[in-house]
mmCIF file of all heavy atoms in Angstrom:
data_model
loop_
_atom_site.group_PDB
_atom_site.id
_atom_site.type_symbol
_atom_site.label_atom_id
_atom_site.label_comp_id
_atom_site.label_asym_id
_atom_site.label_seq_id
_atom_site.Cartn_x
_atom_site.Cartn_y
_atom_site.Cartn_z
ATOM 1 N N ARG A 36 -27.674 16.520 24.107
ATOM 2 C CA ARG A 36 -27.263 16.282 22.730
ATOM 3 C C ARG A 36 -25.897 16.917 22.493
ATOM 4 O O ARG A 36 -25.367 17.628 23.336
ATOM 5 C CB ARG A 36 -28.302 16.864 21.769
ATOM 6 C CG ARG A 36 -29.639 16.132 21.813
ATOM 7 C CD ARG A 36 -30.593 16.696 20.778
ATOM 8 N NE ARG A 36 -31.872 16.007 20.783
ATOM 9 C CZ ARG A 36 -32.892 16.346 19.998
ATOM 10 N NH1 ARG A 36 -32.783 17.366 19.162
ATOM 11 N NH2 ARG A 36 -34.025 15.662 20.063
ATOM 12 N N ASP A 37 -25.323 16.643 21.304
ATOM 13 C CA ASP A 37 -24.013 17.188 20.977
ATOM 14 C C ASP A 37 -24.054 18.713 20.971
ATOM 15 O O ASP A 37 -25.074 19.321 20.619
ATOM 16 C CB ASP A 37 -23.563 16.700 19.592
ATOM 17 C CG ASP A 37 -23.138 15.234 19.602
ATOM 18 O OD1 ASP A 37 -22.672 14.769 20.653
ATOM 19 O OD2 ASP A 37 -23.277 14.580 18.550
ATOM 20 N N PRO A 38 -22.934 19.354 21.336
ATOM 21 C CA PRO A 38 -22.863 20.822 21.266
ATOM 22 C C PRO A 38 -23.111 21.311 19.840
ATOM 23 O O PRO A 38 -22.936 20.557 18.873
ATOM 24 C CB PRO A 38 -21.430 21.120 21.715
ATOM 25 C CG PRO A 38 -20.985 19.910 22.454
ATOM 26 C CD PRO A 38 -21.691 18.751 21.822
ATOM 27 N N ARG A 39 -23.513 22.555 19.729
ATOM 28 C CA ARG A 39 -23.750 23.169 18.417
ATOM 29 C C ARG A 39 -22.648 24.190 18.150
ATOM 30 O O ARG A 39 -22.372 25.060 18.971
ATOM 31 C CB ARG A 39 -25.107 23.871 18.376
ATOM 32 C CG ARG A 39 -26.283 23.021 18.785
ATOM 33 C CD ARG A 39 -26.607 21.929 17.802
ATOM 34 N NE ARG A 39 -26.962 22.416 16.486
ATOM 35 C CZ ARG A 39 -27.543 21.658 15.548
ATOM 36 N NH1 ARG A 39 -27.812 20.381 15.802
ATOM 37 N NH2 ARG A 39 -27.828 22.163 14.377
ATOM 38 N N LEU A 40 -21.996 24.065 17.009
ATOM 39 C CA LEU A 40 -20.930 24.979 16.615
ATOM 40 C C LEU A 40 -21.493 26.006 15.639
ATOM 41 O O LEU A 40 -21.975 25.649 14.564
ATOM 42 C CB LEU A 40 -19.785 24.202 15.961
ATOM 43 C CG LEU A 40 -18.636 25.015 15.372
ATOM 44 C CD1 LEU A 40 -17.878 25.748 16.482
ATOM 45 C CD2 LEU A 40 -17.683 24.100 14.596
ATOM 46 N N ILE A 41 -21.438 27.264 15.998
ATOM 47 C CA ILE A 41 -21.940 28.348 15.153
ATOM 48 C C ILE A 41 -20.744 29.179 14.727
ATOM 49 O O ILE A 41 -20.229 29.996 15.503
ATOM 50 C CB ILE A 41 -22.986 29.218 15.889
ATOM 51 C CG1 ILE A 41 -24.217 28.387 16.258
ATOM 52 C CG2 ILE A 41 -23.414 30.372 15.001
ATOM 53 C CD1 ILE A 41 -24.153 27.727 17.609
ATOM 54 N N ILE A 42 -20.265 28.957 13.500
ATOM 55 C CA ILE A 42 -19.095 29.695 13.019
ATOM 56 C C ILE A 42 -19.406 30.540 11.796
ATOM 57 O O ILE A 42 -18.599 31.385 11.419
ATOM 58 C CB ILE A 42 -17.915 28.748 12.701
ATOM 59 C CG1 ILE A 42 -18.306 27.705 11.660
ATOM 60 C CG2 ILE A 42 -17.382 28.109 13.958
ATOM 61 C CD1 ILE A 42 -17.127 26.852 11.209
ATOM 62 N N LEU A 43 -20.556 30.332 11.180
ATOM 63 C CA LEU A 43 -20.965 31.145 10.036
ATOM 64 C C LEU A 43 -22.031 32.134 10.490
ATOM 65 O O LEU A 43 -22.978 31.753 11.193
ATOM 66 C CB LEU A 43 -21.512 30.277 8.910
ATOM 67 C CG LEU A 43 -20.552 29.238 8.314
ATOM 68 C CD1 LEU A 43 -21.260 28.415 7.242
ATOM 69 C CD2 LEU A 43 -19.319 29.909 7.737
ATOM 70 N N SER A 44 -21.887 33.394 10.115
ATOM 71 C CA SER A 44 -22.843 34.406 10.556
ATOM 72 C C SER A 44 -24.252 34.087 10.093
ATOM 73 O O SER A 44 -25.236 34.434 10.755
ATOM 74 C CB SER A 44 -22.420 35.785 10.034
ATOM 75 O OG SER A 44 -22.292 35.772 8.621
ATOM 76 N N SER A 45 -24.379 33.378 8.965
ATOM 77 C CA SER A 45 -25.702 33.022 8.459
ATOM 78 C C SER A 45 -26.422 32.039 9.367
ATOM 79 O O SER A 45 -27.642 31.901 9.312
ATOM 80 C CB SER A 45 -25.584 32.432 7.048
ATOM 81 O OG SER A 45 -24.762 31.275 7.053
ATOM 82 N N ASP A 46 -25.649 31.343 10.227
ATOM 83 C CA ASP A 46 -26.256 30.380 11.156
ATOM 84 C C ASP A 46 -26.770 31.045 12.424
ATOM 85 O O ASP A 46 -27.557 30.452 13.162
ATOM 86 C CB ASP A 46 -25.238 29.310 11.564
ATOM 87 C CG ASP A 46 -24.906 28.375 10.421
ATOM 88 O OD1 ASP A 46 -25.747 28.219 9.530
ATOM 89 O OD2 ASP A 46 -23.805 27.808 10.421
ATOM 90 N N ASP A 47 -26.316 32.261 12.686
ATOM 91 C CA ASP A 47 -26.665 32.933 13.944
ATOM 92 C C ASP A 47 -27.944 33.737 13.747
ATOM 93 O O ASP A 47 -27.955 34.971 13.820
ATOM 94 C CB ASP A 47 -25.510 33.834 14.383
ATOM 95 C CG ASP A 47 -25.659 34.296 15.818
ATOM 96 O OD1 ASP A 47 -26.209 33.535 16.632
ATOM 97 O OD2 ASP A 47 -25.223 35.428 16.118
ATOM 98 N N ASP A 48 -29.017 33.029 13.516
ATOM 99 C CA ASP A 48 -30.320 33.626 13.217
ATOM 100 C C ASP A 48 -31.197 33.543 14.464
ATOM 101 O O ASP A 48 -31.484 32.451 14.965
ATOM 102 C CB ASP A 48 -30.971 32.872 12.050
ATOM 103 C CG ASP A 48 -32.230 33.543 11.547
ATOM 104 O OD1 ASP A 48 -32.878 34.272 12.321
ATOM 105 O OD2 ASP A 48 -32.576 33.317 10.379
ATOM 106 N N ALA A 49 -31.617 34.700 14.961
ATOM 107 C CA ALA A 49 -32.407 34.739 16.189
ATOM 108 C C ALA A 49 -33.723 33.990 16.060
ATOM 109 O O ALA A 49 -34.316 33.584 17.072
ATOM 110 C CB ALA A 49 -32.662 36.189 16.598
ATOM 111 N N SER A 50 -34.192 33.801 14.835
ATOM 112 C CA SER A 50 -35.458 33.086 14.644
ATOM 113 C C SER A 50 -35.285 31.571 14.771
ATOM 114 O O SER A 50 -36.265 30.838 14.823
ATOM 115 C CB SER A 50 -36.047 33.419 13.270
ATOM 116 O OG SER A 50 -35.222 32.917 12.227
ATOM 117 N N ILE A 51 -34.028 31.106 14.805
ATOM 118 C CA ILE A 51 -33.748 29.679 14.923
ATOM 119 C C ILE A 51 -33.399 29.375 16.374
ATOM 120 O O ILE A 51 -32.553 30.053 16.971
ATOM 121 C CB ILE A 51 -32.569 29.273 14.018
ATOM 122 C CG1 ILE A 51 -32.873 29.607 12.558
ATOM 123 C CG2 ILE A 51 -32.264 27.785 14.156
ATOM 124 C CD1 ILE A 51 -31.708 29.363 11.616
ATOM 125 N N PRO A 52 -34.028 28.380 16.991
ATOM 126 C CA PRO A 52 -33.670 28.020 18.376
ATOM 127 C C PRO A 52 -32.180 27.706 18.498
ATOM 128 O O PRO A 52 -31.586 27.129 17.575
ATOM 129 C CB PRO A 52 -34.532 26.775 18.648
ATOM 130 C CG PRO A 52 -35.670 26.875 17.688
ATOM 131 C CD PRO A 52 -35.114 27.525 16.451
ATOM 132 N N LEU A 53 -31.595 28.071 19.625
ATOM 133 C CA LEU A 53 -30.169 27.846 19.835
ATOM 134 C C LEU A 53 -29.783 26.392 19.603
ATOM 135 O O LEU A 53 -28.721 26.088 19.054
ATOM 136 C CB LEU A 53 -29.782 28.262 21.261
ATOM 137 C CG LEU A 53 -29.289 29.698 21.461
ATOM 138 C CD1 LEU A 53 -29.091 29.982 22.940
ATOM 139 C CD2 LEU A 53 -27.999 29.936 20.685
#
Side-chain angles (χ1 to χ4, degrees):
R36 292 184 179 178
D37 286 331
R39 307 291 299 194
L40 175 66
I41 297 90
I42 58 174
L43 299 178
S44 56
S45 59
D46 290 334
D47 194 32
D48 188 335
S50 66
I51 301 174
L53 268 174

